[in-house]
């Protein structure tokens, strides 16, 4: 009988603990933030007549062009992600703004949406970084993604591009 009483006592204690703790719930893994960096060498001009220098680590417009725009495709290893922010690395010692924008495209209807934008502010000597938070975050397999860069002037006028970083999670 003593063994039976012990088994009953242990069983009652386990039932009470289960009632106090509640049902077990699965813990969902927390999303991890990743980043991908694109060098200037990944960007190509949007206009065949544009005069520019792309040394791989630096991208700049040169004479006779006055300004220029460039694009780069973005490939992420996951199909469904949330864009967090983008970072622009630029030299801006002029009166204009260097701007980097992230777009998602919908090939089925030839549409696109700007997801995030980062623009330089104020003139300063040296390379600086500028961040822009995503206003549209969701990316699925139905979208294509690309970065669009605008340089408002020549390198000799104070403008250069040194890279981009995209932060995302899944």
């Amino acid at each position: 009988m003593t063994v039976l009483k012990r088994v009953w006592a242990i069983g009652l204690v386990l039932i009470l603990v289960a009632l106090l703790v509640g049902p077990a719930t699965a813990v969902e893994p927390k999303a991890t933030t990743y980043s991908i960096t694109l060098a200037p060498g990944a960007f190509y001009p949007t206009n065949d007549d544009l005069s520019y220098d792309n040394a791989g680590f630096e991208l700049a417009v040169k004479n006779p062009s006055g300004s220029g725009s460039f694009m780069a495709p973005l490939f992420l290893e996951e199909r469904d992600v949330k864009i967090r922010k983008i970072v622009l690395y630029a030299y801006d010692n002029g009166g204009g703004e260097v701007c980097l924008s992230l777009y998602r495209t919908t090939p089925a209807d030839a549409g696109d949406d700007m997801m995030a934008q980062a623009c330089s502010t104020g003139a300063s000597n040296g390379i600086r970084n500028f961040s822009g938070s995503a206003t549209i975050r969701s990316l699925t397999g139905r979208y294509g993604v690309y970065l669009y860069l605008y340089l408002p002037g020549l390198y000799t006028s104070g403008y250069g591009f040194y890279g981009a970083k995209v932060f995302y999670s899944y």
Side-chain angles (χ1 to χ4, degrees):
M1 280 286 194
T2 346
V3 174
L4 188 57
K5 285 182 181 178
R6 285 185 186 164
V7 170
W8 272 99
I10 292 172
L12 284 174
V13 168
L14 290 174
I15 290 172
L16 286 174
V17 169
L19 290 173
L20 290 173
V21 173
T25 57
V27 177
E28 290 187 29
K30 187 176 179 182
T32 303
T33 300
Y34 300 91
S35 67
I36 184 168
T37 303
L38 279 86
F43 287 76
Y44 60 90
T46 60
N47 180 340
D48 289 339
D49 296 329
L50 183 66
S51 184
Y52 67 98
D53 282 328
N54 190 337
F57 69 93
E58 173 185 69
L59 177 61
V61 177
K62 63 181 189 176
N63 278 325
S65 300
S67 64
S69 56
F70 303 83
M71 294 170 53
L74 183 62
F75 301 102
L76 302 170
E77 70 270 10
E78 283 295 316
R79 195 182 129 102
D80 298 330
V81 301
K82 298 270 187 241
I83 299 297
R84 300 296 178 197
K85 71 176 182 175
I86 61 173
V87 178
L88 161 69
Y89 297 92
Y91 172 67
D92 177 359
N93 198 18
E97 292 181 333
V98 177
C99 285
L100 177 71
S101 305
L102 176 67
Y103 285 89
R104 70 178 185 186
T105 65
T106 313
D109 65 7
D112 69 349
D113 300 305
M114 183 189 298
M115 298 183 71
Q117 186 175 57
C119 294
S120 62
T121 55
S124 179
N125 201 5
I127 300 168
R128 297 177 290 154
N129 63 66
F130 306 91
S131 296
S133 295
T135 55
I136 300 174
R137 295 180 178 257
S138 180
L139 274 179
T140 62
R142 67 180 282 222
Y143 298 108
V145 191
Y146 69 94
L147 288 162
Y148 178 85
L149 170 70
Y150 175 72
L151 289 170
L154 309 175
Y155 182 79
T156 55
S157 299
Y159 302 102
F161 173 67
Y162 294 88
K165 190 176 274 194
V166 178
F167 290 87
Y168 62 97
S169 61
Y170 59 88

